[in-house]
Every structure is written in structure tokens, then in C-alpha cells.
Amino acid sequence: CNIDLFFKLEANNPTGSFKDRGSAVEASVAKELGAKAMILASTGNMAASCACYAAVAKIPCFVLVPENTNLAKLAQVIAFGGHIVEVKGNYNEAAKLAKEIAKEMEFYLAGDYAFRVEGQKTAAFEIADQLSFKLPDAIIIPMGCGTNISAYAKGFREYQQLGLIDHVPQLIGVEAQGANAIFQSYSHRQIKIKPLKTANTIASAIAVTNPIDGEKALDAI
């Protein structure tokens, strides 16, 4: 098979994941809004990233994690001075509780929301820039909540609107077989996401039963 294959090495970001792109923006917004603290639900990578950028912004950071989360994945949170709270239940239940606490305590709710997309879309900008605007035929992106693939789509669409590129590359989303709510909707030609009852995968970072940005991911695909 004669193909040119490229990898975008997001592990080279400060805390080792693509989450740093969105966390940099979210910490800046939290600081601008005068939030008392940042709060989020996470299974590891986002927790480390938000704790890091909250520390730089000198804002307390509270991380709600699902029960039985691998503590090794939370080492950076502790190192950056973040506060970890274990929640009985899965990621979606932790995210729901984080939202409730943020509203009651006037904390900034970090996570797969609007401002994070504004940071993560820069990955699409970089791909276009680094390849001198000669885009690949397809880009393969893992999916949990669906935010990252929708951010790539937003970035490419904005470059297209500016006339810097003439098309958006095909975006291919990949889910774990045991946590495939987006795939199920796509394969049944549905535009809505039907939440799964359980997520069954050792890939804990994408073990999501009800993807927050699942419908945006479908649109991107």
C-alpha cells in the first residue's frame, strides 16, 4: 500500500496530551471571569492538563474522577496542586456533579465545552500550516466525548472560510468497540446520539457512554 502516513505528536505538549490546547484557553477565560476555582470531571489527561494551567493562572483546581480511576494517571494533578474528589459512578455522573457544583460555588466549569474547542482547533491550523496548506486526504482521530474531532472540523472550516485551504479533509473518528455510541448513530444514519447503558473498554480515557459532543462529531464526520 503506497501511502504517506504522518503522525501529529500531541504527546509533545507540556503535560503530554492534546488537552493542553483547550486547557490553556480555559484557564485564561477562568482568570478573566474572576472565577473562584476551576472544576472538571476527568479520567486523567484533562485533569493533569487543567491542574497544570490552573497552577500557572494561580487558580485552585478541583477534579472529580469516576470511582476506580487509575491513580497513576492523576500523579500530575497532585504534582500541580490540584484537588481530587472520587465520585461513585462513571464519567458522565462525575461530569453532571461537576456542573452542579460549578453553578452553586461560582467555579469555572472546565471540560469539553465551547472554550475548549477554541484551543483544540489549533491542531487543525497546525496541520495545514506544517504541510504548507497541502492537506492529507484523511485524518484519523480517536473519539471519547467527540469534542476533539469537532474542533478539528471547526479549525479546517475557518481556514477554508479565510481562503487558506479549498476543502476540509475527510475526518475519520475511532471509538473503542465497547464504548461506541457515536459509531452506533453513524451506522444507523441517525443524527442524534443514543446513550449506552455501560462502557466496556480498558481505554478509560474514551470510555464514554453519552458523548457530550457526539452530535457535533457526527456533523464533523
Side-chain angles (χ1 to χ4, degrees):
C1 185
N2 185 23
I3 63 170
D4 292 321
L5 182 63
F6 299 87
F7 292 88
K8 187 119 183 68
L9 303 180
E10 292 292 76
N12 288 346
N13 287 319
T15 71
S17 86
F18 71 92
K19 299 290 187 181
D20 288 349
R21 297 177 182 276
S23 297
V25 173
E26 290 208 297
S28 297
V29 173
K31 188 80 170 179
E32 181 181 345
L33 296 175
K36 297 177 181 177
M38 291 176 65
I39 189 170
L40 66 145
S42 175
T43 57
N45 289 336
M46 190 183 296
S49 183
C50 283
C52 173
Y53 285 87
V56 173
K58 295 181 171 55
I59 301 172
C61 183
F62 295 89
V63 180
L64 276 57
V65 302
E67 58 185 339
N68 302 320
T69 296
N70 187 340
L71 292 179
K73 295 181 69 174
L74 301 174
Q76 287 192 83
V77 178
I78 298 169
F80 293 127
H83 307 281
I84 300 170
V85 181
E86 189 176 54
V87 175
K88 188 173 183 179
N90 59 27
Y91 170 81
N92 287 99
E93 289 164 327
K96 180 181 178 182
L97 183 58
K99 187 175 182 179
E100 292 170 355
I101 294 173
K103 185 176 181 180
E104 182 177 340
M105 302 295 293
E106 297 182 359
F107 290 175
Y108 177 86
L109 179 64
D112 290 315
Y113 308 116
F115 287 116
R116 177 160 294 273
V117 170
E118 296 305 307
Q120 289 177 195
K121 72 183 182 184
T122 60
F125 294 166
E126 286 181 6
I127 287 174
D129 295 348
Q130 292 165 344
L131 295 178
S132 300
F133 305 104
K134 297 178 181 178
L135 298 178
D137 296 321
I139 299 174
I140 302 170
I141 304 166
M143 297 189 299
C145 287
T147 307
N148 203 35
I149 194 167
S150 63
Y152 271 83
K154 189 174 193 292
F156 284 124
R157 285 170 184 158
E158 289 181 1
Y159 260 28
Q160 185 180 30
Q161 289 168 358
L162 290 170
L164 297 173
I165 58 176
D166 59 10
H167 71 286
V168 175
Q170 180 185 10
L171 301 180
I172 301 172
V174 179
E175 288 182 299
Q177 189 172 13
N180 61 354
I182 299 172
F183 169 80
Q184 290 295 335
S185 294
Y186 177 81
S187 61
H188 290 95
R189 299 181 180 275
Q190 297 171 340
I191 60 173
K192 298 290 184 181
I193 299 293
K194 183 179 180 180
L196 304 173
K197 292 181 179 179
T198 59
N200 181 25
T201 172
I202 61 172
S204 59
I206 57 173
V208 180
T209 57
N210 186 16
I212 292 172
D213 282 331
E215 291 171 18
K216 290 182 180 179
L218 285 174
D219 181 63
I221 293 166

